[in-house]
Short mmCIF file of all heavy atoms in Angstrom, two decimals:
data_model
loop_
_atom_site.label_atom_id
_atom_site.label_comp_id
_atom_site.label_asym_id
_atom_site.label_seq_id
_atom_site.Cartn_x
_atom_site.Cartn_y
_atom_site.Cartn_z
N ILE A 1 -112.35 -132.07 20.24
CA ILE A 1 -113.33 -133.12 20.53
C ILE A 1 -113.83 -133.75 19.24
O ILE A 1 -113.90 -134.99 19.11
CB ILE A 1 -114.50 -132.54 21.34
CG1 ILE A 1 -114.03 -132.12 22.74
CG2 ILE A 1 -115.65 -133.56 21.46
CD1 ILE A 1 -115.06 -131.35 23.54
N ALA A 2 -114.14 -132.92 18.25
CA ALA A 2 -114.61 -133.44 16.96
C ALA A 2 -113.53 -134.30 16.30
O ALA A 2 -113.83 -135.34 15.71
CB ALA A 2 -115.00 -132.28 16.04
N ARG A 3 -112.28 -133.87 16.40
CA ARG A 3 -111.18 -134.64 15.81
C ARG A 3 -111.08 -136.02 16.46
O ARG A 3 -110.88 -137.03 15.77
CB ARG A 3 -109.86 -133.89 15.98
CG ARG A 3 -108.66 -134.62 15.40
CD ARG A 3 -107.37 -133.86 15.61
NE ARG A 3 -107.11 -133.63 17.03
CZ ARG A 3 -106.05 -132.96 17.48
NH1 ARG A 3 -105.19 -132.43 16.63
NH2 ARG A 3 -105.87 -132.80 18.78
N ALA A 4 -111.20 -136.08 17.79
CA ALA A 4 -111.16 -137.37 18.48
C ALA A 4 -112.33 -138.25 18.06
O ALA A 4 -112.17 -139.46 17.82
CB ALA A 4 -111.15 -137.16 19.98
N LEU A 5 -113.51 -137.67 17.94
CA LEU A 5 -114.70 -138.44 17.56
C LEU A 5 -114.63 -138.94 16.12
O LEU A 5 -115.25 -139.95 15.78
CB LEU A 5 -115.95 -137.58 17.74
CG LEU A 5 -116.34 -137.26 19.18
CD1 LEU A 5 -117.49 -136.26 19.20
CD2 LEU A 5 -116.71 -138.51 19.95
N ALA A 6 -113.86 -138.25 15.29
CA ALA A 6 -113.76 -138.64 13.88
C ALA A 6 -113.14 -140.03 13.71
O ALA A 6 -113.36 -140.69 12.70
CB ALA A 6 -112.94 -137.62 13.11
N MET A 7 -112.39 -140.47 14.72
CA MET A 7 -111.79 -141.81 14.65
C MET A 7 -112.75 -142.89 15.16
O MET A 7 -112.37 -144.05 15.29
CB MET A 7 -110.49 -141.81 15.47
CG MET A 7 -109.41 -140.92 14.88
SD MET A 7 -108.94 -141.42 13.21
CE MET A 7 -108.12 -142.98 13.56
N GLN A 8 -113.99 -142.49 15.45
CA GLN A 8 -115.04 -143.42 15.87
C GLN A 8 -114.62 -144.27 17.08
O GLN A 8 -114.72 -145.49 17.07
CB GLN A 8 -115.46 -144.31 14.70
CG GLN A 8 -116.00 -143.52 13.51
CD GLN A 8 -116.31 -144.38 12.31
OE1 GLN A 8 -115.69 -145.41 12.08
NE2 GLN A 8 -117.29 -143.95 11.54
N PRO A 9 -114.17 -143.61 18.14
CA PRO A 9 -113.73 -144.36 19.31
C PRO A 9 -114.90 -144.93 20.09
O PRO A 9 -116.03 -144.44 20.00
CB PRO A 9 -112.99 -143.29 20.13
CG PRO A 9 -113.75 -142.03 19.81
CD PRO A 9 -114.11 -142.15 18.36
N LYS A 10 -114.63 -145.94 20.89
CA LYS A 10 -115.63 -146.48 21.80
C LYS A 10 -115.54 -145.83 23.17
O LYS A 10 -116.46 -145.95 23.97
CB LYS A 10 -115.44 -148.00 21.93
CG LYS A 10 -115.70 -148.76 20.64
CD LYS A 10 -115.54 -150.25 20.85
CE LYS A 10 -115.83 -151.01 19.55
NZ LYS A 10 -115.66 -152.48 19.72
N VAL A 11 -114.40 -145.16 23.42
CA VAL A 11 -114.14 -144.54 24.71
C VAL A 11 -113.58 -143.14 24.46
O VAL A 11 -112.79 -142.95 23.53
CB VAL A 11 -113.10 -145.36 25.51
CG1 VAL A 11 -112.69 -144.61 26.78
CG2 VAL A 11 -113.62 -146.73 25.83
N MET A 12 -113.99 -142.17 25.28
CA MET A 12 -113.38 -140.85 25.24
C MET A 12 -112.72 -140.57 26.58
O MET A 12 -113.32 -140.75 27.64
CB MET A 12 -114.42 -139.78 24.93
CG MET A 12 -114.86 -139.75 23.47
SD MET A 12 -113.59 -139.15 22.33
CE MET A 12 -113.59 -137.40 22.70
N LEU A 13 -111.48 -140.10 26.52
CA LEU A 13 -110.71 -139.74 27.70
C LEU A 13 -110.46 -138.24 27.65
O LEU A 13 -109.93 -137.73 26.67
CB LEU A 13 -109.38 -140.49 27.73
CG LEU A 13 -109.44 -142.01 27.59
CD1 LEU A 13 -108.03 -142.59 27.44
CD2 LEU A 13 -110.16 -142.64 28.77
N PHE A 14 -110.83 -137.54 28.71
CA PHE A 14 -110.65 -136.09 28.78
C PHE A 14 -109.71 -135.76 29.94
O PHE A 14 -109.99 -136.11 31.08
CB PHE A 14 -111.99 -135.38 29.00
CG PHE A 14 -112.94 -135.47 27.83
CD1 PHE A 14 -113.84 -136.52 27.74
CD2 PHE A 14 -112.93 -134.51 26.84
CE1 PHE A 14 -114.72 -136.61 26.67
CE2 PHE A 14 -113.81 -134.58 25.77
CZ PHE A 14 -114.70 -135.64 25.68
N ASP A 15 -108.61 -135.09 29.62
CA ASP A 15 -107.64 -134.71 30.64
C ASP A 15 -107.75 -133.22 30.93
O ASP A 15 -107.14 -132.40 30.25
CB ASP A 15 -106.22 -135.07 30.18
CG ASP A 15 -105.19 -134.84 31.27
OD1 ASP A 15 -105.58 -134.54 32.42
OD2 ASP A 15 -103.98 -134.96 30.98
N GLU A 16 -108.59 -132.87 31.90
CA GLU A 16 -108.81 -131.47 32.29
C GLU A 16 -109.04 -130.59 31.06
O GLU A 16 -108.30 -129.63 30.81
CB GLU A 16 -107.65 -130.97 33.15
CG GLU A 16 -107.48 -131.76 34.43
CD GLU A 16 -106.45 -131.17 35.37
OE1 GLU A 16 -106.09 -130.00 35.20
OE2 GLU A 16 -106.02 -131.89 36.29
N PRO A 17 -110.07 -130.88 30.29
CA PRO A 17 -110.26 -130.21 29.00
C PRO A 17 -110.59 -128.73 29.09
O PRO A 17 -110.52 -128.03 28.07
CB PRO A 17 -111.45 -130.98 28.38
CG PRO A 17 -112.19 -131.52 29.57
CD PRO A 17 -111.13 -131.86 30.57
N THR A 18 -110.93 -128.23 30.28
CA THR A 18 -111.27 -126.80 30.39
C THR A 18 -110.24 -125.99 31.16
O THR A 18 -110.41 -124.79 31.34
CB THR A 18 -112.64 -126.62 31.08
OG1 THR A 18 -112.57 -127.18 32.40
CG2 THR A 18 -113.74 -127.31 30.30
N SER A 19 -109.17 -126.64 31.62
CA SER A 19 -108.24 -125.95 32.52
C SER A 19 -107.46 -124.84 31.82
O SER A 19 -106.97 -123.92 32.49
CB SER A 19 -107.27 -126.95 33.16
OG SER A 19 -106.45 -127.54 32.17
N ALA A 20 -107.32 -124.90 30.49
CA ALA A 20 -106.57 -123.88 29.77
C ALA A 20 -107.48 -122.79 29.21
O ALA A 20 -107.01 -121.90 28.48
CB ALA A 20 -105.77 -124.52 28.63
N LEU A 21 -108.76 -122.82 29.55
CA LEU A 21 -109.73 -121.90 28.95
C LEU A 21 -110.06 -120.75 29.88
O LEU A 21 -110.05 -120.89 31.11
CB LEU A 21 -111.02 -122.66 28.61
CG LEU A 21 -110.90 -123.82 27.63
CD1 LEU A 21 -112.26 -124.48 27.45
CD2 LEU A 21 -110.34 -123.37 26.29
N ASP A 22 -110.39 -119.62 29.27
CA ASP A 22 -110.95 -118.52 30.05
C ASP A 22 -112.32 -118.95 30.58
O ASP A 22 -113.02 -119.74 29.93
CB ASP A 22 -111.10 -117.28 29.18
CG ASP A 22 -109.75 -116.71 28.75
OD1 ASP A 22 -108.78 -116.91 29.50
OD2 ASP A 22 -109.67 -116.10 27.67
N PRO A 23 -112.73 -118.42 31.72
CA PRO A 23 -113.99 -118.87 32.36
C PRO A 23 -115.20 -118.81 31.43
O PRO A 23 -116.06 -119.71 31.47
CB PRO A 23 -114.15 -117.91 33.54
CG PRO A 23 -112.75 -117.53 33.89
CD PRO A 23 -112.00 -117.46 32.58
N GLU A 24 -115.29 -117.77 30.59
CA GLU A 24 -116.48 -117.66 29.75
C GLU A 24 -116.53 -118.71 28.65
O GLU A 24 -117.56 -118.90 28.00
CB GLU A 24 -116.56 -116.25 29.13
CG GLU A 24 -115.47 -115.91 28.14
CD GLU A 24 -114.24 -115.27 28.79
OE1 GLU A 24 -114.10 -115.39 30.03
OE2 GLU A 24 -113.44 -114.67 28.06
N MET A 25 -115.39 -119.42 28.41
CA MET A 25 -115.37 -120.44 27.37
C MET A 25 -115.59 -121.84 27.92
O MET A 25 -115.76 -122.80 27.17
CB MET A 25 -114.02 -120.41 26.65
CG MET A 25 -113.73 -119.10 25.94
SD MET A 25 -112.07 -119.12 25.23
CE MET A 25 -111.95 -117.41 24.65
N VAL A 26 -115.57 -121.98 29.24
CA VAL A 26 -115.66 -123.30 29.85
C VAL A 26 -117.00 -123.97 29.56
O VAL A 26 -117.05 -125.15 29.19
CB VAL A 26 -115.43 -123.20 31.38
CG1 VAL A 26 -115.80 -124.51 32.07
CG2 VAL A 26 -113.99 -122.83 31.67
N LYS A 27 -118.08 -123.22 29.67
CA LYS A 27 -119.41 -123.82 29.54
C LYS A 27 -119.63 -124.44 28.17
O LYS A 27 -120.22 -125.54 28.08
CB LYS A 27 -120.49 -122.77 29.80
CG LYS A 27 -121.91 -123.35 29.79
CD LYS A 27 -122.96 -122.30 30.08
CE LYS A 27 -124.36 -122.92 30.14
NZ LYS A 27 -124.76 -123.57 28.87
N GLU A 28 -119.16 -123.78 27.10
CA GLU A 28 -119.41 -124.32 25.77
C GLU A 28 -118.72 -125.67 25.57
O GLU A 28 -119.25 -126.56 24.89
CB GLU A 28 -118.98 -123.32 24.69
CG GLU A 28 -117.51 -122.98 24.67
CD GLU A 28 -117.19 -121.77 23.79
OE1 GLU A 28 -117.81 -120.71 23.99
OE2 GLU A 28 -116.33 -121.92 22.93
N VAL A 29 -117.55 -125.84 26.18
CA VAL A 29 -116.86 -127.12 26.08
C VAL A 29 -117.54 -128.17 26.94
O VAL A 29 -117.76 -129.32 26.52
CB VAL A 29 -115.38 -126.97 26.47
CG1 VAL A 29 -114.68 -128.34 26.53
CG2 VAL A 29 -114.66 -126.05 25.48
N LEU A 30 -117.92 -127.81 28.16
CA LEU A 30 -118.62 -128.76 29.04
C LEU A 30 -119.96 -129.17 28.44
O LEU A 30 -120.38 -130.32 28.58
CB LEU A 30 -118.82 -128.15 30.42
CG LEU A 30 -117.54 -127.89 31.23
CD1 LEU A 30 -117.89 -127.32 32.60
CD2 LEU A 30 -116.71 -129.16 31.39
N ASP A 31 -120.63 -128.24 27.76
CA ASP A 31 -121.90 -128.59 27.10
C ASP A 31 -121.67 -129.65 26.02
O ASP A 31 -122.48 -130.58 25.86
CB ASP A 31 -122.54 -127.35 26.48
CG ASP A 31 -123.19 -126.44 27.52
OD1 ASP A 31 -123.35 -126.88 28.68
OD2 ASP A 31 -123.52 -125.29 27.17
N ALA A 32 -120.57 -129.51 25.27
CA ALA A 32 -120.26 -130.49 24.22
C ALA A 32 -119.98 -131.86 24.83
O ALA A 32 -120.42 -132.89 24.29
CB ALA A 32 -119.06 -130.02 23.40
N ILE A 33 -119.28 -131.88 25.96
CA ILE A 33 -118.99 -133.15 26.63
C ILE A 33 -120.27 -133.75 27.20
O ILE A 33 -120.49 -134.96 27.14
CB ILE A 33 -117.93 -132.94 27.73
CG1 ILE A 33 -116.62 -132.43 27.12
CG2 ILE A 33 -117.67 -134.24 28.48
CD1 ILE A 33 -115.58 -132.03 28.14
N GLN A 34 -121.14 -132.90 27.75
CA GLN A 34 -122.40 -133.40 28.29
C GLN A 34 -123.26 -134.00 27.19
O GLN A 34 -123.92 -135.03 27.39
CB GLN A 34 -123.16 -132.28 29.01
CG GLN A 34 -124.43 -132.77 29.68
CD GLN A 34 -124.99 -131.78 30.68
OE1 GLN A 34 -124.42 -130.73 30.92
NE2 GLN A 34 -126.11 -132.12 31.30
N ASP A 35 -123.26 -133.39 26.01
CA ASP A 35 -124.00 -133.96 24.88
C ASP A 35 -123.49 -135.37 24.56
O ASP A 35 -124.28 -136.27 24.24
CB ASP A 35 -123.88 -133.06 23.66
CG ASP A 35 -124.69 -131.78 23.78
OD1 ASP A 35 -125.56 -131.71 24.67
OD2 ASP A 35 -124.44 -130.84 23.00
N LEU A 36 -122.16 -135.54 24.62
CA LEU A 36 -121.58 -136.86 24.37
C LEU A 36 -122.05 -137.86 25.42
O LEU A 36 -122.38 -139.00 25.10
CB LEU A 36 -120.05 -136.77 24.43
CG LEU A 36 -119.29 -136.42 23.17
CD1 LEU A 36 -117.80 -136.45 23.45
CD2 LEU A 36 -119.63 -137.39 22.06
N ALA A 37 -122.05 -137.42 26.66
CA ALA A 37 -122.50 -138.31 27.75
C ALA A 37 -123.93 -138.75 27.52
O ALA A 37 -124.26 -139.93 27.69
CB ALA A 37 -122.37 -137.59 29.09
N GLU A 38 -124.77 -137.83 27.11
CA GLU A 38 -126.18 -138.15 26.90
C GLU A 38 -126.39 -139.07 25.70
O GLU A 38 -127.40 -139.75 25.61
CB GLU A 38 -126.98 -136.85 26.73
CG GLU A 38 -127.05 -136.05 28.05
CD GLU A 38 -127.64 -134.67 27.88
OE1 GLU A 38 -127.91 -134.28 26.71
OE2 GLU A 38 -127.83 -133.97 28.89
N SER A 39 -125.40 -139.10 24.79
CA SER A 39 -125.49 -139.98 23.62
C SER A 39 -125.06 -141.41 23.95
O SER A 39 -125.20 -142.31 23.11
CB SER A 39 -124.63 -139.44 22.48
OG SER A 39 -123.24 -139.67 22.73
N GLY A 40 -124.51 -141.63 25.16
CA GLY A 40 -124.12 -142.97 25.56
C GLY A 40 -122.65 -143.29 25.40
O GLY A 40 -122.25 -144.45 25.52
N MET A 41 -121.81 -142.28 25.16
CA MET A 41 -120.38 -142.51 25.03
C MET A 41 -119.78 -142.87 26.39
O MET A 41 -120.09 -142.24 27.40
CB MET A 41 -119.69 -141.26 24.48
CG MET A 41 -118.17 -141.35 24.40
SD MET A 41 -117.56 -142.56 23.21
CE MET A 41 -117.92 -141.70 21.65
N THR A 42 -118.94 -143.88 26.42
CA THR A 42 -118.19 -144.22 27.62
C THR A 42 -117.08 -143.19 27.80
O THR A 42 -116.30 -142.94 26.87
CB THR A 42 -117.57 -145.62 27.50
OG1 THR A 42 -118.60 -146.57 27.20
CG2 THR A 42 -116.87 -146.03 28.78
N MET A 43 -116.96 -142.63 29.01
CA MET A 43 -115.99 -141.56 29.19
C MET A 43 -115.35 -141.59 30.58
O MET A 43 -116.00 -141.92 31.57
CB MET A 43 -116.66 -140.18 29.00
CG MET A 43 -117.25 -139.96 27.62
SD MET A 43 -117.66 -138.24 27.31
CE MET A 43 -119.05 -138.02 28.39
N ILE A 44 -114.07 -141.24 30.61
CA ILE A 44 -113.39 -140.87 31.85
C ILE A 44 -113.00 -139.41 31.69
O ILE A 44 -112.32 -139.04 30.72
CB ILE A 44 -112.15 -141.71 32.12
CG1 ILE A 44 -112.49 -143.20 32.23
CG2 ILE A 44 -111.47 -141.25 33.42
CD1 ILE A 44 -111.28 -144.09 32.46
N VAL A 45 -113.44 -138.57 32.61
CA VAL A 45 -113.20 -137.13 32.53
C VAL A 45 -112.45 -136.69 33.78
O VAL A 45 -112.99 -136.73 34.89
CB VAL A 45 -114.52 -136.33 32.41
CG1 VAL A 45 -114.21 -134.85 32.20
CG2 VAL A 45 -115.37 -136.87 31.27
N VAL A 46 -111.20 -136.28 33.61
CA VAL A 46 -110.45 -135.66 34.70
C VAL A 46 -110.82 -134.18 34.70
O VAL A 46 -110.66 -133.49 33.68
CB VAL A 46 -108.93 -135.83 34.51
CG1 VAL A 46 -108.16 -135.03 35.56
CG2 VAL A 46 -108.55 -137.30 34.58
N THR A 47 -111.34 -133.70 35.82
CA THR A 47 -111.85 -132.34 35.81
C THR A 47 -111.76 -131.70 37.20
O THR A 47 -111.74 -132.39 38.22
CB THR A 47 -113.32 -132.32 35.34
OG1 THR A 47 -113.79 -130.97 35.29
CG2 THR A 47 -114.23 -133.13 36.27
N HIS A 48 -111.69 -130.36 37.19
CA HIS A 48 -111.81 -129.58 38.43
C HIS A 48 -113.18 -128.94 38.53
O HIS A 48 -113.45 -128.19 39.48
CB HIS A 48 -110.73 -128.49 38.47
CG HIS A 48 -109.35 -129.03 38.66
ND1 HIS A 48 -108.98 -129.76 39.76
CD2 HIS A 48 -108.24 -128.94 37.89
CE1 HIS A 48 -107.70 -130.10 39.66
NE2 HIS A 48 -107.23 -129.63 38.54
#
């Protein structure tokens, strides 16, 4: 996520970003995405 943001995009696209993670790791990634949402980033998030 940090690497994608380093290019200063106007849009973030997430393709099931937590599907490869163990359950206990999912929340920390979703929290990071939620922080982005609250900052006003335009996003399309494919998610289960």
